[in-house]
Amino acid sequence: MSSIPLMPGIASRMVQTARLTQHVRLSGPEDGVPVIFVHGNNSCATFWEETMLALPEGFRAIAPDLRGYGDTEFQPVDATRGMADFADDIFALADAMSITRFHVVGHSLGGSVIWSMLATAPERLLTVTLAAPGSPYGFGGTKDVEGTPCWPDFAGSGGGLVSQEFAKREAAQDRSEENPQTAPRVIMNTYYWKPPFRPAREEELLSGLLSIKVRPDHHPGDLVTSANWPGVGPGVLGPNNALSPKYVGDGPARILGATNKPPILWVHGADDQIVSDQSLLELGTLGKLGVMPNWPGEAVFPPQPMKRQTRSFLRRYEAAGGRFHEVELAACGHTPYLEHPETFNQVFHAHLG
C-alpha cells in the first residue's frame, strides 16, 4: 500500500474520510492513546517512522501523508485558507477513525498546520509538540515579532520564490548529486539536518521528499507579479502559497483568545537553516547576504525573525493562560527528532505524560 518501504513495526492503510482518501502509517496498539504526526513540506510521513516506533507503551501512532504528498489522494490546496485545508483533513481523519481527542506532533510545515488546528478546535488536542515549526505568522515577508508585513501585498512570500529547477528535478525523481545547487538529495542533506549528519534511512527519506506532487496547482504553485521587491507575491494554490503570511488571517488571535489551551512543547535546532532568524531560504536573509539583487535594505525587508516570532507568541500564549516549554538542541539542524532522537524522545515522552 505504501510506495516507500516501511520499517518493521509500521503498518499502513488507506483511510476514507469525509474530505479525501488518506494514506496513513500506523504503529502501536489499536486501543492506545492516539498521537497524530504531521509531516513537513517536501517530505511525507515516512520521516516519522523512527519516532513512531519509539513511543512509550500504550500509545497509538498515526501519521498521514498530507494532501499533495506521499500516497494520499491528490486534492488541491486552497492557499487562501492558509493551513486550514490540511488542518481540516487531520480532523476529518480523526473523525473517520472515531478519535475525539489526541496528542498532535508537527514538523516544519506540519507545525504550521498545528497553528491552524489550535485556532480551529484546540479542545480536541491533548498536547501539542512542535518540532522546528514554521512561525505562527507564516513564512517570508514579515519583519518583526508581531508579524508585520514588509509590504501590503506580502511580496516576497509564496510559491513564486521556489526554485523552478529544484521542482523540475523533484518531478523527474532525480536522486543524483549532479549540479548540487538544485539536487534534491544535496538540498536534503544540507538543509534538513546539520552536516555531516546522514540518516540511516536516507533513501527512504529522499523518496519521501520526492513524493510531493509537482504540478501547477500544487508545487511550486502559482504567483502574482508585484511592484514591490522582489517582484512576486503569493498566488492562491498549493502549500508554498498557503504558508504566506497573507493567509494567516486572525489565526494567532483566535489561538490566544481560545478557552482551551493545550500545553505546547517547542523543540528546535540551534543550527536550523530553514526556520531561523537568518533563514537561508528566506529573501530578507538572502538580500542581506547579497545573494538577491536590489534588496531594499534592512529597514524595509529584514530577515524574518522566525524563532523570535514563535518565542514571543508562545510567551503571549502563556500570559493568556496556556503553558509552553522550549528546548533548543545544540549541533542540530531542521529535524531534531532524527538528528537527536534520544534527547527529543525524552522531552517528547515526558510531555505526553
Side-chain angles (χ1 to χ4, degrees):
M1 196 170 300
S2 174
S3 62
I4 300 171
L6 302 169
M7 294 183 69
I10 300 287
S12 78
R13 73 170 190 253
M14 305 300 292
V15 178
Q16 179 64 54
T17 78
R19 293 175 57 79
L20 76 170
T21 303
Q22 300 186 47
H23 176 248
V24 182
R25 287 170 174 77
L26 303 157
S27 68
E30 291 194 14
D31 61 350
V33 178
V35 183
I36 295 182
F37 293 82
V38 190
H39 67 78
N41 201 5
N42 293 282
S43 66
C44 76
T46 194
F47 276 69
W48 286 119
E49 291 188 33
E50 289 93 340
T51 313
M52 294 166 66
L53 293 171
L55 278 177
E57 186 176 349
F59 286 92
R60 174 69 160 170
I62 303 163
D65 292 335
L66 297 175
R67 62 169 64 198
Y69 304 83
D71 297 311
T72 284
E73 173 193 354
F74 179 80
Q75 293 284 350
V77 174
D78 179 356
T80 66
R81 303 185 70 226
M83 295 284 108
D85 269 354
F86 293 129
D88 289 350
D89 290 347
I90 298 296
F91 287 126
L93 174 65
D95 291 342
M97 299 181 71
S98 300
I99 296 169
T100 303
R101 302 185 71 209
F102 52 91
H103 301 275
V104 66
V105 191
H107 172 231
S108 196
L109 175 141
S112 299
V113 173
I114 291 178
W115 295 127
S116 184
M117 296 173 73
L118 280 165
T120 303
E123 69 280 358
R124 298 191 66 176
L125 310 180
L126 295 168
T127 67
V128 166
T129 300
L130 303 171
S135 162
Y137 302 109
F139 191 96
T142 61
K143 59 185 177 182
D144 55 27
V145 295
E146 288 81 28
T148 305
C150 299
W151 304 113
D153 65 351
F154 298 89
S157 66
L161 306 177
V162 176
S163 165
Q164 296 291 322
E165 184 60 27
F166 174 65
K168 287 179 182 177
R169 295 182 73 170
E170 287 180 296
Q173 299 293 294
D174 186 342
R175 306 181 77 93
S176 76
E177 297 189 14
E178 298 171 4
N179 300 313
Q181 292 81 2
T182 59
R185 183 188 297 274
V186 177
I187 296 297
M188 183 179 75
N189 282 318
T190 301
Y191 293 101
Y192 282 34
W193 28 79
K194 179 180 173 62
F197 177 82
R198 299 286 283 258
R201 296 176 63 243
E202 180 177 331
E203 296 309 316
E204 288 83 358
L205 300 186
L206 179 59
S207 295
L209 183 159
L210 296 173
S211 76
I212 190 170
K213 306 303 183 288
V214 180
R215 41 186 290 165
D217 58 355
H218 188 69
H219 175 67
D222 58 336
L223 59 87
V224 297
T225 58
S226 172
N228 298 312
W229 185 86
V232 295
V236 298
L237 293 169
N240 300 304
N241 286 313
L243 283 166
S244 168
K246 180 176 181 177
Y247 305 123
V248 168
D250 65 351
R254 289 162 60 196
I255 294 170
L256 296 177
T259 301
N260 291 279
K261 290 186 172 67
I264 296 175
L265 171 65
W266 173 32
V267 186
H268 57 99
D271 302 310
D272 193 336
Q273 298 183 87
I274 295 178
V275 175
S276 77
D277 294 340
Q278 302 286 332
S279 170
L280 292 179
L281 302 186
E282 191 271 331
L283 290 197
T285 304
L286 296 178
K288 185 175 182 178
L289 293 174
V291 177
M292 288 292 294
N294 304 315
W295 179 55
E298 194 144 7
V300 176
F301 205 116
Q304 180 185 351
M306 301 179 190
K307 288 190 178 182
R308 288 195 293 118
Q309 288 176 342
T310 297
R311 187 174 295 112
S312 174
F313 181 78
L314 289 174
R315 286 172 177 167
R316 293 173 66 193
Y317 184 82
E318 187 173 60
R323 59 188 175 93
F324 83 95
H325 178 52
E326 175 184 353
V327 177
E328 181 179 79
L329 300 179
C332 180
H334 188 56
T335 351
Y337 56 94
L338 290 177
E339 296 172 74
H340 296 279
E342 290 185 5
T343 304
F344 179 86
N345 287 331
Q346 181 179 17
V347 295
F348 171 41
H349 297 169
H351 185 61
L352 293 178

